[in-house]
């Protein structure tokens, strides 16, 4: 049982200052002004960006995040690379580190790589003082808490020296359920908060902290394994819905149905609901594919091959949707897009975030470049460096260079992007793109002009008076005579 009472929580440490740890701790500090919150990371550049006076330069973009950082940083919210000191003083340590899919070894391509979780557990074991509550916040495979317990057990000791408390630990699971782009809203008014664990005192303490702003009835207490598995299962179900509606979008295009009308009709069924029924170029982000792969691995580990095959099909459908859109664009130009100037609108995997991990834009861009296209990429928040990290450096410095190899360039100027462009492809449904003046844009483009709307954001009326041909996901082609 824990040796700490709920009114003595003074310091909280978070290991990991990324997309989960940063926003989560910012909101916690805002809603718990009596608790000092220390967000730590070994990445000095990332911590420097969190401490930047330029609040537009934070390493994570989320609406309203900059305001909360400005409000609380230096008061009870601190960003630091001094992990040792932060852990030593912490009553609670959140582990919010990356858990990428393994690239080699046992389970490569499916299982999560837990090296950062392991190293975090060792840091806590080494530096913690007295009793410490460890909270898994990262998305982890079921029974990861068992690994953490085994690691910290080696550091648990009874100290006979005067005024030095023995090291003791409690391990809880409290997974995040954030949607990037609405993370602050999700943290401030969550659908539910999950806490899994065996130590009733620690469960109670963490619950009381959350209750500073979250109604008690929205806080679910479970065992450790249910909490860990619930996160994987939640993401798997959401991903399955997206793959399902994308499969139907292809059928709509062939049959004359409109996927938006189909989505509205089935979403009105209260047993189904309307969320996550928007057709698109495929799901992205740091969680869906990784968690699905993890679920496939777990099912196979426990010899449940039929279930593993089912979840793997969700991933395969997602890859098929991205490939389908790339090939559709190429086929419109009779199989040859060499030297065609194509504008990609959006590179982040969804709007209101600068996260590009597993973005559909990556595979679509690579496929078009491989087929010789000259891409011009536009995104309101993603940087050119992020694009380079994901699709490689531009092979040519000039779009006028004679070569069969494709190329790409980056701009934040829409008019510049569409000047002499043959086509535009809407990848991310940024609000900026809903406001585009297509009549004006059409005057910059070469004829015949094309827009491929993989998000269903454009109506035929938006293109009135233009000579732009339209392909819209889940509806098909609308051609100018």
């Amino acid at each position: 049982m824990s040796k700490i009472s709920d009114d003595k929580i003074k310091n909280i440490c978070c290991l990991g200052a990324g997309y989960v740890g940063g926003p989560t701790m910012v909101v916690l500090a805002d809603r718990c002004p009596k608790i000092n919150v220390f967000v730590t990371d070994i990445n000095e550049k990332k911590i420097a960006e969190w401490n930047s006076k330029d609040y537009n330069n934070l390493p994570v973009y989320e609406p309203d995040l900059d305001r909360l950082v400005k409000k609380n940083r230096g008061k009870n919210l601190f960003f630091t690379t001094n992990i040792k000191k932060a852990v030593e003083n912490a009553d609670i340590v959140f582990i919010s580190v990356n858990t990428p899919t393994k690239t080699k070894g046992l389970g490569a391509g499916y299982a999560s790589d837990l090296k950062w979780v392991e190293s975090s557990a060792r840091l806590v074991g080494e530096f913690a003082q007295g009793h410490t509550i460890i909270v898994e916040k990262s998305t982890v495979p079921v029974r990861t808490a068992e690994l953490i317990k085994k690691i910290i057990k080696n550091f648990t000791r009874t100290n006979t020296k005067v005024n030095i408390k023995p090291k003791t630990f409690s391990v809880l699971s409290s997974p995040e359920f954030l949607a990037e782009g609405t993370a602050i809203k999700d943290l401030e008014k969550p659908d539910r908060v999950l806490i899994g664990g065996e130590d009733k005192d620690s469960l109670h303490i963490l619950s009381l902290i959350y209750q500073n702003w979250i109604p008690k009835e929205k806080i679910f207490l479970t065992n450790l394994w249910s909490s860990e598995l619930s996160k994987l299962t939640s993401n798997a179900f959401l991903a399955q819905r997206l793959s399902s509606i994308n499969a139907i979008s292809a059928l709509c295009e062939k049959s004359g149905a409109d996927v938006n009308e189909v989505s509205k009709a089935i979403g009105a069924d209260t047993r189904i609901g309307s969320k996550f029924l928007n057709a698109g170029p495929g799901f992205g982000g740091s969680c869906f594919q990784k968690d699905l792969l993890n679920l496939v691995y777990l099912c196979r580990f426990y010899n449940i091959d039929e279930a593993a095959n089912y979840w793997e099909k969700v991933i395969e459908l997602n890859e098929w949707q991205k490939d389908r859109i790339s090939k559709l664009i190429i086929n419109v130009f009779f199989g040859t897009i060499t030297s065609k100037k194509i504008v990609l609108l959006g590179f982040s995997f969804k709007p209101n975030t600068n996260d590009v991990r597993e973005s559909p834009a990556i595979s679509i861009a690579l496929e078009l470049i491989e087929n010789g296209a000259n891409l011009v990429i536009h995104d309101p928040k993603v940087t050119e460096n992020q694009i380079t990290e994901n699709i490689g450096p531009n092979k040519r410095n000039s779009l006028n260079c004679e070569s069969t190899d494709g190329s790409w360039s980056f701009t934040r100027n829409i008019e510049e992007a569409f000047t002499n462009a043959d086509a535009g492809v809407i990848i991310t449904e940024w609000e900026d793109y809903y406001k585009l003046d297509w009549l004006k844009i059409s005057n910059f483009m070469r004829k015949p002009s094309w827009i491929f709307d993989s998000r269903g954001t454009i109506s035929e009326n938006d293109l009135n008076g233009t000579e732009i041909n339209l392909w819209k996901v889940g509806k098909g082609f609308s051609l100018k005579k």
Side-chain angles (χ1 to χ4, degrees):
M1 298 293 287
S2 67
K3 311 292 191 302
I4 209 166
S5 58
D6 56 283
D7 62 341
K8 292 185 178 180
I9 301 295
K10 302 298 183 185
N11 298 300
I12 287 177
C13 168
C14 177
L15 301 178
Y19 282 91
V20 174
T24 300
M25 292 300 111
V26 168
V27 171
L28 193 151
D30 184 63
R31 297 307 177 103
C32 303
K34 294 182 179 180
I35 298 176
N36 292 315
V37 179
F38 296 85
V39 186
T40 70
D41 205 288
I42 60 174
N43 188 325
E44 294 182 359
K45 179 176 180 291
K46 184 180 292 183
I47 293 299
E49 289 173 346
W50 279 113
N51 284 319
S52 172
K53 293 181 180 179
D54 179 6
Y55 292 96
N56 292 318
N57 194 38
L58 299 178
V60 175
Y61 173 75
E62 283 287 338
D64 212 32
L65 177 62
D66 54 348
R67 180 185 67 82
L68 293 180
V69 172
K70 187 175 183 179
K71 175 184 175 184
N72 298 288
R73 195 177 66 190
K75 297 177 182 177
N76 71 319
L77 174 65
F78 308 93
F79 298 91
T80 178
T81 56
N82 192 339
I83 298 174
K84 179 177 183 294
K85 184 177 179 181
V87 173
E88 282 178 345
N89 294 327
D91 303 306
I92 300 177
V93 176
F94 285 84
I95 296 179
S96 298
V97 294
N98 194 18
T99 53
T101 302
K102 292 178 71 172
T103 57
K104 58 184 179 180
L106 182 65
Y110 290 90
S112 290
D113 189 341
L114 299 178
K115 63 182 179 181
W116 300 116
V117 173
E118 291 183 30
S119 62
S120 295
R122 290 190 178 92
L123 285 172
V124 179
E126 181 180 358
F127 299 136
Q129 304 295 319
H131 183 78
T132 306
I133 299 172
I134 301 174
V135 183
E136 292 176 335
K137 182 58 70 172
S138 300
T139 301
V140 294
V142 65
R143 302 201 76 85
T144 298
E146 193 170 18
L147 169 66
I148 295 174
K149 287 181 178 182
K150 286 181 179 178
I151 291 173
I152 60 176
K153 186 177 181 180
N154 296 322
F155 295 94
T156 304
R157 66 173 184 269
T158 302
N159 202 311
T160 57
K161 293 183 180 180
V162 179
N163 295 328
I164 297 181
K165 296 179 181 180
K167 288 189 180 186
T168 57
F169 302 93
S170 298
V171 179
L172 303 178
S173 167
S174 184
E176 53 86 14
F177 292 98
L178 308 181
E180 289 185 43
T182 59
I184 301 302
K185 178 183 175 183
D186 296 337
L187 287 162
E188 292 180 333
K189 295 182 178 180
D191 291 335
R192 79 293 201 198
V193 168
L194 209 56
I195 310 174
E198 300 162 352
D199 183 345
K200 292 183 179 179
D201 286 353
S202 296
L203 285 167
H204 178 65
I205 290 167
L206 187 55
S207 176
L208 286 178
I209 290 173
Y210 286 138
Q211 285 177 52
N212 278 285
W213 76 98
I214 299 167
K216 185 178 180 181
E217 59 269 20
K218 287 191 173 184
I219 301 172
F220 301 162
L221 304 183
T222 71
N223 69 39
L224 273 169
W225 322 128
S226 294
S227 178
E228 290 178 336
L229 187 56
S230 292
K231 170 61 178 179
L232 292 182
T233 306
S234 177
N235 279 346
F237 272 57
L238 294 174
Q240 183 269 341
R241 286 172 68 93
L242 290 175
S243 283
S244 294
I245 198 63
N246 283 338
I248 296 301
S249 74
L251 181 57
C252 287
E253 293 164 27
K254 296 291 186 181
S255 64
D258 184 331
V259 75
N260 289 332
E261 294 175 349
V262 173
S263 296
K264 185 177 180 180
I266 64 175
D269 189 327
T270 56
R271 296 169 299 175
I272 298 173
S274 61
K275 293 183 178 180
F276 277 75
L277 288 178
N278 294 321
F283 56 75
S286 62
C287 290
F288 281 4
Q289 179 156 314
K290 176 172 68 73
D291 292 353
L292 278 165
L293 289 168
N294 204 339
L295 200 55
V296 171
Y297 176 76
L298 287 169
C299 288
R300 292 211 169 113
F301 178 82
Y302 289 109
N303 296 316
I304 315 171
D305 289 340
E306 293 79 6
N309 293 338
Y310 171 80
W311 290 115
E312 194 162 34
K313 280 295 179 184
V314 175
I315 302 171
E316 291 176 9
L317 258 171
N318 193 57
E319 294 303 311
W320 168 80
Q321 179 75 342
K322 291 184 282 187
D323 186 59
R324 181 175 81 88
I325 292 172
S326 300
K327 285 184 168 53
L328 184 146
I329 295 168
I330 296 168
N331 288 335
V332 160
F333 290 100
F334 304 100
T336 302
I337 56 172
T338 301
S339 299
K340 291 288 190 297
K341 183 179 179 182
I342 299 177
V343 180
L344 256 58
L345 293 177
F347 201 84
S348 60
F349 85 93
K350 66 182 296 188
N352 294 320
T353 178
N354 61 344
D355 193 352
V356 302
R357 289 175 291 180
E358 302 295 339
S359 173
I362 297 171
S363 58
I364 291 174
L366 289 172
E367 180 75 14
L368 296 178
I369 290 171
E370 185 177 337
N371 280 273
N374 297 328
L375 297 188
V376 178
I377 301 172
H378 178 281
D379 191 283
K381 293 297 178 181
V382 173
T383 66
E384 187 170 359
N385 286 338
Q386 285 179 284
I387 298 170
T388 301
E389 289 171 3
N390 283 275
I391 65 174
N394 188 10
K395 293 181 180 179
R396 294 187 288 162
N397 294 324
S398 173
L399 294 179
N400 296 319
C401 177
E402 291 295 329
S403 172
T404 58
D405 293 333
S407 66
W408 70 270
S409 61
F410 177 77
T411 183
R412 285 211 166 96
N413 186 312
I414 288 289
E415 291 185 9
E416 175 187 305
F418 276 100
T419 298
N420 295 321
D422 298 281
V425 186
I426 300 176
I427 302 289
T428 314
E429 66 273 38
W430 283 97
E431 185 178 352
D432 298 26
Y433 303 151
Y434 285 92
K435 302 173 182 177
L436 292 178
D437 184 343
W438 291 108
L439 182 59
K440 183 178 181 181
I441 288 172
S442 69
N443 293 325
F444 295 117
M445 300 179 71
R446 295 204 305 178
K447 308 298 185 291
S449 310
W450 280 91
I451 294 295
F452 300 92
D453 183 5
S454 75
R455 293 290 182 176
T457 61
I458 296 177
S459 72
E460 288 81 351
N461 292 335
D462 294 330
L463 302 181
N464 284 345
T466 76
E467 296 181 46
I468 297 175
N469 298 293
L470 173 67
W471 172 84
K472 185 175 178 179
V473 67
K475 190 166 184 182
F477 291 102
S478 176
L479 306 180
K480 296 294 182 179
K481 295 181 180 179

